[in-house]
Short mmCIF file of all heavy atoms in Angstrom, two decimals:
data_model
loop_
_atom_site.label_atom_id
_atom_site.label_comp_id
_atom_site.label_asym_id
_atom_site.label_seq_id
_atom_site.Cartn_x
_atom_site.Cartn_y
_atom_site.Cartn_z
N ALA G 243 -170.37 -31.81 -115.57
CA ALA G 243 -169.54 -31.13 -116.57
C ALA G 243 -169.41 -29.66 -116.20
O ALA G 243 -170.37 -29.04 -115.74
CB ALA G 243 -170.15 -31.27 -117.96
N PHE G 244 -168.22 -29.10 -116.39
CA PHE G 244 -167.97 -27.69 -116.11
C PHE G 244 -167.84 -26.92 -117.42
O PHE G 244 -167.23 -27.41 -118.38
CB PHE G 244 -166.70 -27.50 -115.28
CG PHE G 244 -166.83 -27.94 -113.85
CD1 PHE G 244 -165.70 -28.03 -113.03
CD2 PHE G 244 -168.06 -28.26 -113.29
CE1 PHE G 244 -165.81 -28.43 -111.71
CE2 PHE G 244 -168.19 -28.66 -111.97
CZ PHE G 244 -167.05 -28.74 -111.18
N THR G 245 -168.40 -25.73 -117.44
CA THR G 245 -168.33 -24.91 -118.65
C THR G 245 -167.10 -24.02 -118.70
O THR G 245 -166.74 -23.51 -119.76
CB THR G 245 -169.59 -24.03 -118.77
OG1 THR G 245 -169.69 -23.17 -117.62
CG2 THR G 245 -170.85 -24.88 -118.87
N SER G 246 -166.43 -23.80 -117.56
CA SER G 246 -165.22 -22.98 -117.54
C SER G 246 -163.99 -23.82 -117.84
O SER G 246 -163.59 -24.66 -117.02
CB SER G 246 -165.06 -22.29 -116.19
OG SER G 246 -163.80 -21.64 -116.11
N HIS G 247 -163.37 -23.58 -118.98
CA HIS G 247 -162.17 -24.33 -119.36
C HIS G 247 -161.01 -23.99 -118.42
O HIS G 247 -160.18 -24.85 -118.12
CB HIS G 247 -161.81 -24.02 -120.80
CG HIS G 247 -162.81 -24.51 -121.80
ND1 HIS G 247 -162.48 -24.96 -123.06
CD2 HIS G 247 -164.17 -24.63 -121.71
CE1 HIS G 247 -163.57 -25.33 -123.71
NE2 HIS G 247 -164.61 -25.12 -122.90
N ILE G 248 -160.95 -22.74 -117.97
CA ILE G 248 -159.88 -22.33 -117.07
C ILE G 248 -159.97 -23.11 -115.76
O ILE G 248 -158.97 -23.61 -115.24
CB ILE G 248 -159.95 -20.81 -116.80
CG1 ILE G 248 -159.64 -20.03 -118.09
CG2 ILE G 248 -158.98 -20.40 -115.69
CD1 ILE G 248 -159.82 -18.54 -117.96
N ILE G 249 -161.17 -23.20 -115.21
CA ILE G 249 -161.36 -23.93 -113.96
C ILE G 249 -161.05 -25.40 -114.15
O ILE G 249 -160.39 -26.03 -113.29
CB ILE G 249 -162.80 -23.72 -113.44
CG1 ILE G 249 -162.93 -22.31 -112.86
CG2 ILE G 249 -163.16 -24.77 -112.39
CD1 ILE G 249 -164.32 -21.94 -112.41
N ILE G 250 -161.47 -25.98 -115.25
CA ILE G 250 -161.17 -27.39 -115.54
C ILE G 250 -159.67 -27.63 -115.55
O ILE G 250 -159.17 -28.59 -114.93
CB ILE G 250 -161.78 -27.80 -116.89
CG1 ILE G 250 -163.31 -27.87 -116.79
CG2 ILE G 250 -161.22 -29.16 -117.35
CD1 ILE G 250 -164.00 -28.08 -118.12
N ASN G 251 -158.94 -26.74 -116.20
CA ASN G 251 -157.48 -26.90 -116.30
C ASN G 251 -156.81 -26.75 -114.94
O ASN G 251 -155.87 -27.50 -114.60
CB ASN G 251 -156.91 -25.89 -117.29
CG ASN G 251 -157.32 -26.18 -118.72
OD1 ASN G 251 -157.67 -27.31 -119.06
ND2 ASN G 251 -157.29 -25.16 -119.57
N ARG G 252 -157.26 -25.78 -114.15
CA ARG G 252 -156.64 -25.55 -112.84
C ARG G 252 -156.91 -26.70 -111.88
O ARG G 252 -156.02 -27.10 -111.10
CB ARG G 252 -157.15 -24.24 -112.25
CG ARG G 252 -156.60 -23.00 -112.97
CD ARG G 252 -157.11 -21.72 -112.37
NE ARG G 252 -156.59 -20.55 -113.07
CZ ARG G 252 -156.98 -19.30 -112.84
NH1 ARG G 252 -157.91 -19.07 -111.93
NH2 ARG G 252 -156.46 -18.29 -113.54
N ILE G 253 -158.11 -27.26 -111.92
CA ILE G 253 -158.42 -28.40 -111.07
C ILE G 253 -157.56 -29.60 -111.48
O ILE G 253 -157.03 -30.33 -110.62
CB ILE G 253 -159.92 -28.76 -111.15
CG1 ILE G 253 -160.76 -27.64 -110.50
CG2 ILE G 253 -160.19 -30.08 -110.44
CD1 ILE G 253 -162.25 -27.84 -110.65
N ALA G 254 -157.40 -29.80 -112.76
CA ALA G 254 -156.58 -30.91 -113.26
C ALA G 254 -155.13 -30.75 -112.81
O ALA G 254 -154.48 -31.72 -112.38
CB ALA G 254 -156.67 -30.99 -114.78
N GLU G 255 -154.62 -29.53 -112.89
CA GLU G 255 -153.23 -29.27 -112.51
C GLU G 255 -153.00 -29.39 -111.01
O GLU G 255 -151.99 -29.95 -110.56
CB GLU G 255 -152.82 -27.86 -112.98
CG GLU G 255 -152.74 -27.71 -114.49
CD GLU G 255 -152.54 -26.26 -114.90
OE1 GLU G 255 -152.44 -25.39 -114.00
OE2 GLU G 255 -152.50 -25.98 -116.12
N ASN G 256 -153.95 -28.86 -110.22
CA ASN G 256 -153.75 -28.80 -108.78
C ASN G 256 -154.27 -30.02 -108.02
O ASN G 256 -153.77 -30.34 -106.94
CB ASN G 256 -154.42 -27.55 -108.22
CG ASN G 256 -153.83 -26.27 -108.79
OD1 ASN G 256 -152.65 -26.20 -109.10
ND2 ASN G 256 -154.67 -25.24 -108.91
N GLU G 257 -155.28 -30.70 -108.57
CA GLU G 257 -155.90 -31.80 -107.85
C GLU G 257 -155.82 -33.14 -108.58
O GLU G 257 -156.09 -34.18 -107.99
CB GLU G 257 -157.37 -31.48 -107.57
CG GLU G 257 -157.61 -30.21 -106.78
CD GLU G 257 -159.09 -29.92 -106.59
OE1 GLU G 257 -159.87 -30.89 -106.44
OE2 GLU G 257 -159.48 -28.74 -106.62
N GLY G 258 -155.48 -33.09 -109.86
CA GLY G 258 -155.44 -34.32 -110.63
C GLY G 258 -156.81 -34.87 -110.97
O GLY G 258 -156.97 -36.03 -111.35
N ILE G 259 -157.84 -34.03 -110.82
CA ILE G 259 -159.21 -34.42 -111.14
C ILE G 259 -159.57 -33.82 -112.49
O ILE G 259 -159.33 -32.64 -112.73
CB ILE G 259 -160.19 -33.93 -110.07
CG1 ILE G 259 -159.84 -34.54 -108.70
CG2 ILE G 259 -161.64 -34.27 -110.44
CD1 ILE G 259 -160.66 -33.99 -107.55
N HIS G 260 -160.17 -34.62 -113.35
CA HIS G 260 -160.45 -34.16 -114.71
C HIS G 260 -161.97 -34.11 -114.94
O HIS G 260 -162.62 -35.13 -115.14
CB HIS G 260 -159.80 -35.09 -115.74
CG HIS G 260 -158.31 -35.13 -115.62
ND1 HIS G 260 -157.48 -34.23 -116.26
CD2 HIS G 260 -157.49 -35.95 -114.90
CE1 HIS G 260 -156.23 -34.50 -115.97
NE2 HIS G 260 -156.20 -35.53 -115.13
N TYR G 261 -162.50 -32.89 -114.88
CA TYR G 261 -163.91 -32.68 -115.20
C TYR G 261 -164.04 -32.45 -116.71
O TYR G 261 -163.24 -31.70 -117.28
CB TYR G 261 -164.47 -31.46 -114.46
CG TYR G 261 -164.72 -31.69 -112.98
CD1 TYR G 261 -163.74 -31.39 -112.04
CD2 TYR G 261 -165.94 -32.19 -112.54
CE1 TYR G 261 -163.97 -31.59 -110.68
CE2 TYR G 261 -166.17 -32.39 -111.18
CZ TYR G 261 -165.18 -32.09 -110.26
OH TYR G 261 -165.41 -32.30 -108.93
N PRO G 262 -165.05 -33.03 -117.34
CA PRO G 262 -165.23 -32.78 -118.77
C PRO G 262 -165.99 -31.48 -119.01
O PRO G 262 -166.70 -30.99 -118.12
CB PRO G 262 -166.07 -33.97 -119.22
CG PRO G 262 -166.92 -34.29 -118.01
CD PRO G 262 -166.02 -34.02 -116.82
N THR G 263 -165.83 -30.92 -120.20
CA THR G 263 -166.74 -29.87 -120.65
C THR G 263 -168.04 -30.55 -121.03
O THR G 263 -168.08 -31.79 -121.20
CB THR G 263 -166.17 -29.14 -121.87
OG1 THR G 263 -166.06 -30.09 -122.95
CG2 THR G 263 -164.80 -28.53 -121.57
N PRO G 264 -169.13 -29.82 -121.19
CA PRO G 264 -170.37 -30.46 -121.65
C PRO G 264 -170.19 -31.17 -122.99
O PRO G 264 -170.75 -32.25 -123.20
CB PRO G 264 -171.35 -29.28 -121.75
CG PRO G 264 -170.85 -28.30 -120.76
CD PRO G 264 -169.36 -28.41 -120.83
N GLU G 265 -169.40 -30.57 -123.87
CA GLU G 265 -169.16 -31.19 -125.17
C GLU G 265 -168.45 -32.53 -125.00
O GLU G 265 -168.83 -33.54 -125.62
CB GLU G 265 -168.30 -30.26 -126.05
CG GLU G 265 -168.99 -28.96 -126.45
CD GLU G 265 -168.70 -27.81 -125.51
OE1 GLU G 265 -168.42 -28.06 -124.31
OE2 GLU G 265 -168.75 -26.65 -125.95
N GLN G 266 -167.43 -32.56 -124.15
CA GLN G 266 -166.70 -33.81 -123.92
C GLN G 266 -167.60 -34.84 -123.24
O GLN G 266 -167.53 -36.04 -123.58
CB GLN G 266 -165.47 -33.52 -123.05
CG GLN G 266 -164.40 -32.72 -123.74
CD GLN G 266 -163.32 -32.22 -122.79
OE1 GLN G 266 -163.54 -32.14 -121.57
NE2 GLN G 266 -162.16 -31.87 -123.32
#
């Protein structure tokens, strides 16, 4: 899980990989 929401969003947009936040 990644704590940076910005990084999560950028990875999803650029790589199509979806890391969850710790809460998710």
Side-chain angles (χ1 to χ4, degrees):
F244 288 169
T245 60
S246 172
H247 294 214
I248 293 174
I249 286 176
I250 290 172
N251 291 338
R252 289 180 181 173
I253 292 174
E255 292 171 2
N256 298 328
E257 303 177 35
I259 299 173
H260 299 273
Y261 285 92
T263 63
E265 294 93 333
Q266 291 169 339

